[in-house]
Amino acid sequence: MSNLSNLVAPAQDAIPYKTLANGYKIPGIGMGTFGSDRFTAEQVAEGVYHAAEAGFRFFDCASVYGNESMIGEVFARIMQSGVSRSELFIDSKVWNDQHDDVIASCKKSLADLKLDYLDLYLVHWPFSNYHAPGCTVDSRSPDATPYSHERFMKTWAQMEQLVEMGLVRSIGTSNMTIPKMELLLRDCKIRPVVNEMEIHPHFQQQELYDFLVANQIQPIGFCPIGSPMRPDRDRTEDDTCDIEDPVIVNIAERLGVHPAIVCIKWAVQRGHIPIPFSVHKDQIYGNITCITQDPLTDEEMAAIAGIDRNNRLIKGQVFLWEHAKGWEDLWDLDGVIVK
C-alpha cells in the first residue's frame, strides 16, 4: 500500500483541459461514479470527496447509479471547502425509462446533486429499453424494441430544451454508433459536444473515434483500464485483460507504476477523456497525478495502438429485444442500424 500521508495533489494548472465545440472547457480527465454493484453509495460518494482533494474537477454521474443524492452532499462539502462551482465540471445522464420525461429526469438529478445547472447532460443509451435492476444478462423486456430514430429525436428535442432553459450548458450522447450519430447530426438543432463510449487499449474504437473528432465531438472513455471490477453480468469467456497485456506491463515496469496507470496515460495522450473510478485514496491520487508526469514515448504510444483486440466488455445484452440475434445487434457492426 502507498503511504497515504505522502499523497500530494498536482497543481491545477498541470491538468490538461479540452475546449468543446460550443466553447466550454472540460478537464482532460474525470472521475467515474458507477460503483459496478461492488461498492455502496456511501463509498462512492466518499471517493468523490477524495477525488476533489486530489485535484479532480470533472465528475461523471448518472441517475441510474443510485448515488446522486449522496454525491450531492459531497459536492456541497467540496464547495464549502473552497472549490467554487465554476471550477467543477459535472455531468449526469437520462436513463432509458425516462426518454419521454427528460426534463423531469434532469430536474431530479439537479435536486439530488444540489446544483442549479449541469455542465453536461447525456442520453445514457440510445435505446428506450428498460431492464429491471439485478436482472440476469439473458433477460429480455417484452417492451424492448430496436432503435427508433423518430423516438430518439423526440428525446433529443427535450435535451435541446434543457439547454434553452439554462438547466444544462452542453448536451451529448453515450454508447452511440456512427450510423446513429449520422442521423442525429443530420436532424438535430443543437449538436452533441461529446460522446461517452467504452475505450481502453484492447478496445480502441478507432473508426468511431476518428468520426467523432472529425465532427468536433469529444470522445469520453469509460472502462479506461478494461474495467476489472465491472459487474459479473458483463463478463464473458472471450474477454481479455488490458492490464495483463505484455505491452502495457512492460511500459509499467519501465515507469515503476501499476499497469492501470499506463492505460490512463495512454488515454490522455491519445486525446480522449478517461473517467477512471476508484474508492481507494491512493489509487485516486495516482490516477490524476500520473497524467502530469513521465509521459509515454512515441514508440510506446505506437505499441499500444497495435494491441487493439476489438474486445468490447460492456455489450449491453440486457437492452436487447426478444427477437434480436445477439448483443452485436445493438452496435451496428456492418454500418447499418439493425431493425
Side-chain angles (χ1 to χ4, degrees):
M1 288 291 292
S2 301
N3 183 349
L4 295 183
S5 64
N6 293 334
L7 297 178
V8 178
Q12 274 299 306
D13 60 8
I15 307 301
Y17 274 71
K18 298 278 191 178
T19 301
L20 300 173
N22 59 4
Y24 287 107
K25 294 188 180 299
I26 181 173
I29 187 170
M31 169 77 168
T33 62
F34 174 45
S36 302
D37 303 336
R38 302 187 187 279
F39 302 98
T40 65
E42 291 85 356
Q43 287 175 302
V44 174
E46 195 61 21
V48 167
Y49 190 78
H50 291 321
E53 290 182 316
F56 279 91
R57 294 295 180 263
F58 170 25
F59 296 95
D60 177 75
C61 306
S63 59
V64 75
Y65 299 163
N67 54 23
E68 286 192 327
S69 61
M70 299 211 68
I71 291 174
E73 298 284 351
V74 169
F75 285 155
R77 285 171 58 197
I78 291 169
M79 286 184 270
Q80 288 166 4
S81 73
V83 177
S84 68
R85 173 66 183 93
S86 62
E87 294 177 67
L88 298 173
F89 191 101
I90 300 169
D91 76 19
S92 186
K93 311 176 191 77
V94 60
W95 189 236
N96 303 7
D97 60 349
Q98 296 294 308
H99 279 201
D100 295 329
D101 295 295
V102 174
I103 294 170
S105 177
C106 181
K107 287 182 175 179
K108 175 70 162 57
S109 285
L110 285 169
D112 286 343
L113 295 170
K114 295 179 168 47
L115 301 173
D116 295 325
Y117 69 91
L118 288 167
D119 296 276
L120 175 67
Y121 199 55
L122 308 175
V123 182
H124 207 146
W125 287 83
F127 303 93
S128 302
N129 303 345
Y130 174 76
H131 66 88
C135 70
T136 61
V137 74
D138 56 354
S139 66
R140 300 288 176 265
S141 168
D143 300 322
T145 61
Y147 176 77
S148 165
H149 181 62
E150 179 182 6
R151 182 165 187 178
F152 186 83
M153 289 311 301
K154 290 179 180 177
T155 299
W156 192 256
Q158 296 174 74
M159 297 286 287
E160 294 171 332
Q161 192 174 348
L162 290 172
V163 177
E164 294 163 354
M165 295 169 69
L167 296 179
V168 307
R169 290 183 167 179
S170 303
I171 51 178
T173 55
S174 182
N175 298 300
M176 287 287 269
T177 63
I178 292 176
K180 295 184 182 80
M181 188 65 84
E182 286 177 332
L183 292 178
L184 173 58
L185 293 176
R186 182 194 70 187
D187 295 339
C188 68
K189 182 169 61 174
I190 300 177
R191 292 166 62 92
V193 294
V194 309
N195 181 63
E196 193 167 299
M197 55 201 271
E198 180 182 339
I199 315 178
H200 43 93
H202 280 184
F203 191 60
Q204 300 183 22
Q205 298 218 70
Q206 193 65 52
E207 184 182 7
L208 175 55
Y209 186 98
D210 291 342
F211 173 86
L212 295 170
V213 172
N215 284 280
Q216 296 184 293
I217 300 169
Q218 172 64 47
I220 297 176
F222 63 78
C223 299
I225 66 172
S227 193
M229 297 298 287
R230 67 190 179 278
D232 290 333
R233 66 175 177 272
D234 289 324
R235 297 174 184 272
T236 62
E237 292 181 359
D238 297 331
D239 293 346
T240 62
C241 183
D242 301 67
I243 57 176
E244 294 176 2
D245 190 289
V247 168
I248 301 295
V249 171
N250 288 340
I251 298 171
E253 289 174 350
R254 176 184 77 80
L255 294 171
V257 299
H258 191 282
I261 293 296
V262 176
C263 297
I264 294 171
K265 285 177 172 289
W266 167 77
V268 173
Q269 288 183 226
R270 185 190 188 213
H272 63 270
I273 299 173
I275 46 173
F277 166 80
S278 179
V279 299
H280 303 294
K281 196 169 182 179
D282 57 339
Q283 292 178 357
I284 291 168
Y285 273 76
N287 288 347
I288 192 166
T289 301
C290 76
I291 69 170
T292 67
Q293 58 194 25
D294 301 323
L296 305 183
T297 66
D298 291 344
E299 292 77 13
E300 287 167 340
M301 291 294 293
I304 296 175
I307 62 171
D308 188 2
R309 298 190 185 182
N310 196 31
N311 180 48
R312 186 186 295 276
L313 300 174
I314 309 303
K315 300 174 177 67
Q317 298 99 318
V318 291
F319 304 121
L320 288 171
W321 45 97
E322 287 185 339
H323 302 294
K325 296 177 182 177
W327 63 263
E328 294 86 353
D329 284 359
L330 298 168
W331 300 106
D332 311 331
L333 300 185
D334 296 327
V336 178
I337 295 174
V338 176
K339 301 292 187 183

